[in-house]
Amino acid sequence: MSVVRPLYISRYCRQSGQNADLEHRHDFYQLFLLARPTVRLLSGGRLHAVDPARELVFVRPGLPHALCLPSPEPASAAYTYNVALDCKFEVSDPALRVRLDALPLIAAVPCIPALRVLADAIMAELLARDRASLALADPSEDTLAAMLESFLAILLRGYEGGVRPQMADLHYVPTRRVVVGSVDVAAVKHYIDTHYAEHITLESLSRLACVNKTTLCRAFKSIISMSPIAYVGFRRIEVARELLTGTSKSVGEIAAAVGYQNIFHFSRQFREAQGKSPTEYRRTASQ
């Protein structure tokens, strides 16, 4: 039995004309993984900026809080929620509660990319249940509880140790087939996860899924929140990050290991994704 009991997990979406929640407090935990930098946290009557690339909002029981979106915006192109992933939950393990209570209201952690992957997995689980917008978790259903527990474990390890997660943390193994229309999205994602270093094209993935490219892209993006080819690049950069910090391989060797034939192309893609060159990233991580 999981020590984490989900109460409510949803895509936190804001409709046009709805700008802010009223500041409130409650006796359970809540976390928000924000989808856009324009969202502000209201707490104690003060507005706080949150950087979604490196921070999330973690609300302990009793803390006053509300989310504020200065101006209504359309759904994010990058994520399946246009404001935040919203998780409300209780924790039965006293030791875990002590660790969670040490988290600040705005927690800066180096593992946001891994948490976004897991958030997408949670969204996929909701979609598999035909709960695309929100879900009130059944206490007898352990799948969401286990996923949320994994989310908290990655969050705490990242915050307490200041380390990025291992690649195993990024691996999403669905408890069932995640099918959109006739496309088994989980199978396509698993193929990319295990063949990212190979030459992968949209045509080859379409043949694998037995659908046309448009159908594949639409289905894949509805679950993973990016196109199949964009996910190939994302996966390669994530593996490259781990190789840069966990091995002594040269940048050229790492580029080849993750599927780039041209080291300059790899370096450009890495800088676009991480804001630093591979060499700068390795040097910063070792300090």
Side-chain angles (χ1 to χ4, degrees):
M1 186 71 177
S2 175
V3 298
V4 177
R5 176 174 175 261
L7 300 175
Y8 183 86
I9 301 177
S10 77
R11 297 192 235 182
Y12 193 106
C13 294
R14 183 62 47 77
Q15 302 298 321
S16 178
Q18 296 177 296
N19 292 326
D21 288 333
L22 295 176
E23 195 169 353
H24 61 284
R25 63 185 77 206
H26 41 62
D27 59 359
F28 48 81
Y29 292 97
Q30 185 173 20
L31 65 84
F32 297 102
L33 188 62
L34 302 185
R36 58 179 77 252
T38 52
V39 180
R40 296 291 183 266
L41 171 67
L42 178 64
S43 182
R46 294 178 55 194
L47 279 176
H48 305 270
V50 182
D51 180 0
R54 56 184 292 273
E55 297 172 324
L56 54 72
V57 176
F58 189 86
V59 183
R60 302 191 305 276
L63 279 179
H65 64 281
L67 291 188
C68 177
L69 192 63
S71 59
E73 301 179 38
S76 169
Y79 304 108
T80 54
Y81 37 93
N82 79 336
V83 176
L85 172 71
D86 176 9
C87 297
K88 300 179 177 72
F89 59 95
E90 295 176 335
V91 175
S92 61
D93 180 14
L96 179 57
R97 286 202 299 268
V98 169
R99 296 175 67 194
L100 291 174
D101 288 346
L103 286 170
L105 184 57
I106 300 177
V109 290
C111 53
I112 292 296
L115 295 179
R116 290 210 183 281
V117 171
L118 191 49
D120 287 339
I122 292 172
M123 288 296 100
E125 182 67 23
L126 299 186
L127 288 172
R129 302 172 187 210
D130 295 325
R131 300 284 187 89
S133 296
L134 54 86
L136 182 62
D138 182 346
S140 65
E141 172 59 73
D142 287 337
T143 302
L144 283 170
M147 297 172 87
L148 183 54
E149 197 167 332
S150 295
F151 191 104
L152 295 177
I154 297 172
L155 168 61
L156 286 169
R157 186 160 68 249
Y159 178 74
E160 296 169 345
V163 297
R164 291 188 179 274
Q166 299 298 311
M167 285 308 300
D169 294 328
L170 295 173
H171 187 53
Y172 163 44
V173 181
T175 57
R176 66 196 75 184
R177 295 177 69 212
V178 180
V179 179
V180 178
S182 60
V183 181
D184 187 342
V185 175
V188 176
K189 180 181 181 297
H190 178 71
Y191 179 85
I192 296 172
D193 286 340
T194 53
H195 295 80
Y196 57 84
E198 301 174 11
H199 180 59
I200 297 178
T201 65
L202 190 56
E203 289 76 9
S204 64
L205 292 175
S206 298
R207 289 195 297 271
L208 175 70
C210 299
V211 294
N212 63 46
K213 292 183 287 186
T214 301
T215 300
L216 172 62
C217 287
R218 184 181 298 116
F220 194 91
K221 193 169 184 179
S222 72
I223 299 296
I224 309 300
S225 303
M226 62 181 77
S227 72
I229 298 304
Y231 183 73
V232 172
F234 168 83
R235 186 64 172 168
R236 287 174 172 174
I237 296 301
E238 287 298 296
V239 176
R241 282 197 309 106
E242 299 300 323
L243 293 175
L244 284 165
T245 57
T247 75
S248 59
K249 291 183 176 181
S250 70
V251 173
E253 289 174 324
I254 291 173
V258 298
Y260 289 92
Q261 302 303 312
N262 186 309
I263 187 174
F264 299 107
H265 179 54
F266 165 67
S267 296
R268 184 170 62 252
Q269 294 293 311
F270 192 93
R271 182 183 288 277
E272 288 179 0
Q274 299 295 317
K276 300 176 181 177
S277 71
T279 302
E280 291 170 335
Y281 182 86
R282 169 176 273 169
R283 182 171 59 250
T284 302
S286 64
Q287 292 176 350

